[in-house]
Amino acid sequence: MAPQHTPALPVLGSRKPSHRERVADALRAALIAGELRPGEVYSAPGLAARFGVSATPVREAMLDLVKEGLVDTVPNKGFRVTAVSEQQLDEYTHIRALIEIPTTAQLARAADPVALEALRPVAQEIVTSAASGDLIAYVEADLRFHLGLLALAGNGHLVDVVRDLRRRSRLYGLTALVEQGRLEASAEEHLEILDALLARDEEAVRAVMARHLGHVRGLWAAP
């Protein structure tokens, strides 16, 4: 089992999010990492205790996740996590590869080195979270890193599409990788991507990104 912890609520983007948004981001990360499982019913008070917050923002955040199709309401009980089929995950990953690999590779041509270097602390945060077994922090930092890269391409709609696809992904194999001490190695690929971008090596970026996204339905997928 992954280490039990009370995760720090993540912060996404430059605008300071509301407490409700921070709770929703933490819940999405827990869904992606498999800490909230399909078919299980979770009450707002129970989740509030787990995340160290009050029940009201959790209940509000879960209603946001209902609108996104990530959970369903169960009257008088709470919220049930919706299942994602293997076919759906394959489709999400295929679309992500079509978007993320070429878009990130193209950044090697003209992305501002200062802007790229600004993402290094986030890449390092991914490695640190992997080493400590903090899966929620890992998923949250991974999201910030990749969306931060894509934002440098200047297409906000593209970023929104990838954000939605990443929220719908499920990485149930992360727990096993933590137990085996193998997650940190794959986490270091984020630094490898960054170094290849700064070296203006487009083919290297494309190769690392292809390997990296391959983990979604490989290393990171198996429960």
mmCIF file of all heavy atoms in Angstrom, residues 46-71:
data_model
loop_
_atom_site.group_PDB
_atom_site.id
_atom_site.type_symbol
_atom_site.label_atom_id
_atom_site.label_comp_id
_atom_site.label_asym_id
_atom_site.label_seq_id
_atom_site.Cartn_x
_atom_site.Cartn_y
_atom_site.Cartn_z
ATOM 1 N N GLY A 46 -16.176 12.048 5.300
ATOM 2 C CA GLY A 46 -15.039 11.138 5.296
ATOM 3 C C GLY A 46 -13.880 11.682 4.489
ATOM 4 O O GLY A 46 -12.712 11.610 4.920
ATOM 5 N N LEU A 47 -14.183 12.244 3.326
ATOM 6 C CA LEU A 47 -13.128 12.843 2.504
ATOM 7 C C LEU A 47 -12.560 14.083 3.167
ATOM 8 O O LEU A 47 -11.354 14.349 3.076
ATOM 9 C CB LEU A 47 -13.683 13.190 1.120
ATOM 10 C CG LEU A 47 -14.001 12.004 0.203
ATOM 11 C CD1 LEU A 47 -14.736 12.483 -1.039
ATOM 12 C CD2 LEU A 47 -12.720 11.270 -0.185
ATOM 13 N N ALA A 48 -13.426 14.842 3.826
ATOM 14 C CA ALA A 48 -12.957 16.044 4.521
ATOM 15 C C ALA A 48 -11.940 15.690 5.595
ATOM 16 O O ALA A 48 -10.900 16.346 5.734
ATOM 17 C CB ALA A 48 -14.144 16.786 5.139
ATOM 18 N N ALA A 49 -12.219 14.630 6.349
ATOM 19 C CA ALA A 49 -11.287 14.198 7.386
ATOM 20 C C ALA A 49 -9.971 13.736 6.768
ATOM 21 O O ALA A 49 -8.884 14.017 7.289
ATOM 22 C CB ALA A 49 -11.911 13.074 8.205
ATOM 23 N N ARG A 50 -10.057 13.066 5.644
ATOM 24 C CA ARG A 50 -8.866 12.555 4.964
ATOM 25 C C ARG A 50 -7.973 13.678 4.450
ATOM 26 O O ARG A 50 -6.748 13.594 4.508
ATOM 27 C CB ARG A 50 -9.305 11.666 3.806
ATOM 28 C CG ARG A 50 -8.169 11.074 2.986
ATOM 29 C CD ARG A 50 -8.724 10.063 2.011
ATOM 30 N NE ARG A 50 -7.702 9.482 1.184
ATOM 31 C CZ ARG A 50 -7.890 8.438 0.368
ATOM 32 N NH1 ARG A 50 -9.063 7.863 0.333
ATOM 33 N NH2 ARG A 50 -6.909 7.968 -0.381
ATOM 34 N N PHE A 51 -8.598 14.745 3.958
ATOM 35 C CA PHE A 51 -7.835 15.848 3.376
ATOM 36 C C PHE A 51 -7.600 16.994 4.349
ATOM 37 O O PHE A 51 -6.984 17.994 4.004
ATOM 38 C CB PHE A 51 -8.541 16.369 2.112
ATOM 39 C CG PHE A 51 -8.376 15.465 0.920
ATOM 40 C CD1 PHE A 51 -9.202 14.369 0.731
ATOM 41 C CD2 PHE A 51 -7.374 15.690 -0.006
ATOM 42 C CE1 PHE A 51 -9.049 13.520 -0.343
ATOM 43 C CE2 PHE A 51 -7.206 14.854 -1.093
ATOM 44 C CZ PHE A 51 -8.043 13.762 -1.270
ATOM 45 N N GLY A 52 -8.115 16.855 5.552
ATOM 46 C CA GLY A 52 -7.867 17.878 6.556
ATOM 47 C C GLY A 52 -8.570 19.191 6.292
ATOM 48 O O GLY A 52 -8.025 20.263 6.588
ATOM 49 N N VAL A 53 -9.776 19.114 5.732
ATOM 50 C CA VAL A 53 -10.557 20.328 5.457
ATOM 51 C C VAL A 53 -11.974 20.102 5.969
ATOM 52 O O VAL A 53 -12.317 19.018 6.442
ATOM 53 C CB VAL A 53 -10.588 20.655 3.948
ATOM 54 C CG1 VAL A 53 -9.189 20.991 3.436
ATOM 55 C CG2 VAL A 53 -11.177 19.492 3.152
ATOM 56 N N SER A 54 -12.816 21.129 5.862
ATOM 57 C CA SER A 54 -14.204 20.978 6.293
ATOM 58 C C SER A 54 -15.020 20.295 5.199
ATOM 59 O O SER A 54 -14.604 20.223 4.040
ATOM 60 C CB SER A 54 -14.811 22.349 6.622
ATOM 61 O OG SER A 54 -14.862 23.162 5.462
ATOM 62 N N ALA A 55 -16.196 19.803 5.565
ATOM 63 C CA ALA A 55 -17.010 19.033 4.629
ATOM 64 C C ALA A 55 -17.626 19.896 3.527
ATOM 65 O O ALA A 55 -17.848 19.410 2.410
ATOM 66 C CB ALA A 55 -18.120 18.304 5.388
ATOM 67 N N THR A 56 -17.886 21.171 3.804
ATOM 68 C CA THR A 56 -18.583 22.008 2.816
ATOM 69 C C THR A 56 -17.809 22.159 1.511
ATOM 70 O O THR A 56 -18.379 21.914 0.438
ATOM 71 C CB THR A 56 -18.913 23.385 3.412
ATOM 72 O OG1 THR A 56 -19.803 23.211 4.519
ATOM 73 C CG2 THR A 56 -19.579 24.275 2.368
ATOM 74 N N PRO A 57 -16.523 22.560 1.524
ATOM 75 C CA PRO A 57 -15.813 22.670 0.243
ATOM 76 C C PRO A 57 -15.648 21.322 -0.456
ATOM 77 O O PRO A 57 -15.595 21.265 -1.689
ATOM 78 C CB PRO A 57 -14.462 23.275 0.622
ATOM 79 C CG PRO A 57 -14.292 22.993 2.069
ATOM 80 C CD PRO A 57 -15.677 23.018 2.643
ATOM 81 N N VAL A 58 -15.569 20.229 0.309
ATOM 82 C CA VAL A 58 -15.481 18.897 -0.301
ATOM 83 C C VAL A 58 -16.773 18.587 -1.040
ATOM 84 O O VAL A 58 -16.759 18.122 -2.185
ATOM 85 C CB VAL A 58 -15.195 17.820 0.761
ATOM 86 C CG1 VAL A 58 -15.356 16.427 0.155
ATOM 87 C CG2 VAL A 58 -13.802 17.978 1.328
ATOM 88 N N ARG A 59 -17.898 18.854 -0.391
ATOM 89 C CA ARG A 59 -19.194 18.587 -1.027
ATOM 90 C C ARG A 59 -19.337 19.440 -2.294
ATOM 91 O O ARG A 59 -19.797 18.943 -3.338
ATOM 92 C CB ARG A 59 -20.324 18.906 -0.038
ATOM 93 C CG ARG A 59 -21.691 18.430 -0.482
ATOM 94 C CD ARG A 59 -22.726 18.607 0.620
ATOM 95 N NE ARG A 59 -22.518 17.684 1.729
ATOM 96 C CZ ARG A 59 -22.052 18.036 2.926
ATOM 97 N NH1 ARG A 59 -21.741 19.305 3.177
ATOM 98 N NH2 ARG A 59 -21.894 17.137 3.881
ATOM 99 N N GLU A 60 -18.948 20.698 -2.215
ATOM 100 C CA GLU A 60 -19.026 21.592 -3.382
ATOM 101 C C GLU A 60 -18.096 21.116 -4.492
ATOM 102 O O GLU A 60 -18.460 21.121 -5.677
ATOM 103 C CB GLU A 60 -18.666 23.021 -2.965
ATOM 104 C CG GLU A 60 -19.677 23.665 -2.026
ATOM 105 C CD GLU A 60 -19.210 25.014 -1.511
ATOM 106 O OE1 GLU A 60 -17.984 25.287 -1.613
ATOM 107 O OE2 GLU A 60 -20.042 25.778 -1.006
ATOM 108 N N ALA A 61 -16.880 20.701 -4.114
ATOM 109 C CA ALA A 61 -15.915 20.232 -5.098
ATOM 110 C C ALA A 61 -16.394 18.950 -5.772
ATOM 111 O O ALA A 61 -16.240 18.771 -6.986
ATOM 112 C CB ALA A 61 -14.555 20.000 -4.435
ATOM 113 N N MET A 62 -16.999 18.053 -4.988
ATOM 114 C CA MET A 62 -17.494 16.814 -5.565
ATOM 115 C C MET A 62 -18.626 17.075 -6.556
ATOM 116 O O MET A 62 -18.772 16.364 -7.560
ATOM 117 C CB MET A 62 -17.959 15.868 -4.461
ATOM 118 C CG MET A 62 -16.836 15.297 -3.606
ATOM 119 S SD MET A 62 -15.608 14.334 -4.528
ATOM 120 C CE MET A 62 -16.393 12.717 -4.574
ATOM 121 N N LEU A 63 -19.417 18.106 -6.315
ATOM 122 C CA LEU A 63 -20.457 18.472 -7.280
ATOM 123 C C LEU A 63 -19.845 18.945 -8.593
ATOM 124 O O LEU A 63 -20.403 18.707 -9.667
ATOM 125 C CB LEU A 63 -21.377 19.541 -6.689
ATOM 126 C CG LEU A 63 -22.277 19.064 -5.534
ATOM 127 C CD1 LEU A 63 -23.042 20.236 -4.925
ATOM 128 C CD2 LEU A 63 -23.237 17.974 -6.005
ATOM 129 N N ASP A 64 -18.682 19.613 -8.503
ATOM 130 C CA ASP A 64 -17.958 19.991 -9.720
ATOM 131 C C ASP A 64 -17.523 18.741 -10.480
ATOM 132 O O ASP A 64 -17.600 18.671 -11.708
ATOM 133 C CB ASP A 64 -16.727 20.837 -9.377
ATOM 134 C CG ASP A 64 -17.086 22.219 -8.862
ATOM 135 O OD1 ASP A 64 -18.205 22.689 -9.150
ATOM 136 O OD2 ASP A 64 -16.241 22.833 -8.182
ATOM 137 N N LEU A 65 -17.046 17.736 -9.737
ATOM 138 C CA LEU A 65 -16.597 16.486 -10.357
ATOM 139 C C LEU A 65 -17.768 15.701 -10.948
ATOM 140 O O LEU A 65 -17.593 14.965 -11.917
ATOM 141 C CB LEU A 65 -15.829 15.631 -9.352
ATOM 142 C CG LEU A 65 -14.320 15.875 -9.272
ATOM 143 C CD1 LEU A 65 -13.972 17.317 -8.954
ATOM 144 C CD2 LEU A 65 -13.658 14.948 -8.259
ATOM 145 N N VAL A 66 -18.966 15.863 -10.364
ATOM 146 C CA VAL A 66 -20.164 15.244 -10.939
ATOM 147 C C VAL A 66 -20.414 15.832 -12.326
ATOM 148 O O VAL A 66 -20.696 15.102 -13.286
ATOM 149 C CB VAL A 66 -21.388 15.467 -10.028
ATOM 150 C CG1 VAL A 66 -22.671 15.065 -10.764
ATOM 151 C CG2 VAL A 66 -21.260 14.667 -8.744
ATOM 152 N N LYS A 67 -20.306 17.146 -12.445
ATOM 153 C CA LYS A 67 -20.518 17.809 -13.742
ATOM 154 C C LYS A 67 -19.504 17.343 -14.777
ATOM 155 O O LYS A 67 -19.795 17.307 -15.974
ATOM 156 C CB LYS A 67 -20.418 19.329 -13.564
ATOM 157 C CG LYS A 67 -21.515 19.925 -12.705
ATOM 158 C CD LYS A 67 -21.296 21.421 -12.504
ATOM 159 C CE LYS A 67 -22.338 22.019 -11.582
ATOM 160 N NZ LYS A 67 -22.089 23.468 -11.325
ATOM 161 N N GLU A 68 -18.303 16.990 -14.314
ATOM 162 C CA GLU A 68 -17.244 16.526 -15.215
ATOM 163 C C GLU A 68 -17.368 15.038 -15.530
ATOM 164 O O GLU A 68 -16.602 14.494 -16.328
ATOM 165 C CB GLU A 68 -15.870 16.808 -14.603
ATOM 166 C CG GLU A 68 -15.590 18.290 -14.422
ATOM 167 C CD GLU A 68 -14.336 18.549 -13.589
ATOM 168 O OE1 GLU A 68 -13.525 17.615 -13.419
ATOM 169 O OE2 GLU A 68 -14.162 19.691 -13.124
ATOM 170 N N GLY A 69 -18.316 14.360 -14.889
ATOM 171 C CA GLY A 69 -18.510 12.950 -15.135
ATOM 172 C C GLY A 69 -17.534 12.040 -14.421
ATOM 173 O O GLY A 69 -17.445 10.846 -14.729
ATOM 174 N N LEU A 70 -16.804 12.575 -13.440
ATOM 175 C CA LEU A 70 -15.800 11.779 -12.730
ATOM 176 C C LEU A 70 -16.382 11.016 -11.553
ATOM 177 O O LEU A 70 -15.834 9.989 -11.137
ATOM 178 C CB LEU A 70 -14.663 12.688 -12.249
ATOM 179 C CG LEU A 70 -13.929 13.473 -13.349
ATOM 180 C CD1 LEU A 70 -12.831 14.330 -12.744
ATOM 181 C CD2 LEU A 70 -13.357 12.529 -14.388
ATOM 182 N N VAL A 71 -17.496 11.523 -11.005
ATOM 183 C CA VAL A 71 -18.192 10.830 -9.918
ATOM 184 C C VAL A 71 -19.700 10.996 -10.128
ATOM 185 O O VAL A 71 -20.137 11.881 -10.868
ATOM 186 C CB VAL A 71 -17.809 11.381 -8.515
ATOM 187 C CG1 VAL A 71 -16.320 11.217 -8.247
ATOM 188 C CG2 VAL A 71 -18.216 12.845 -8.374
#
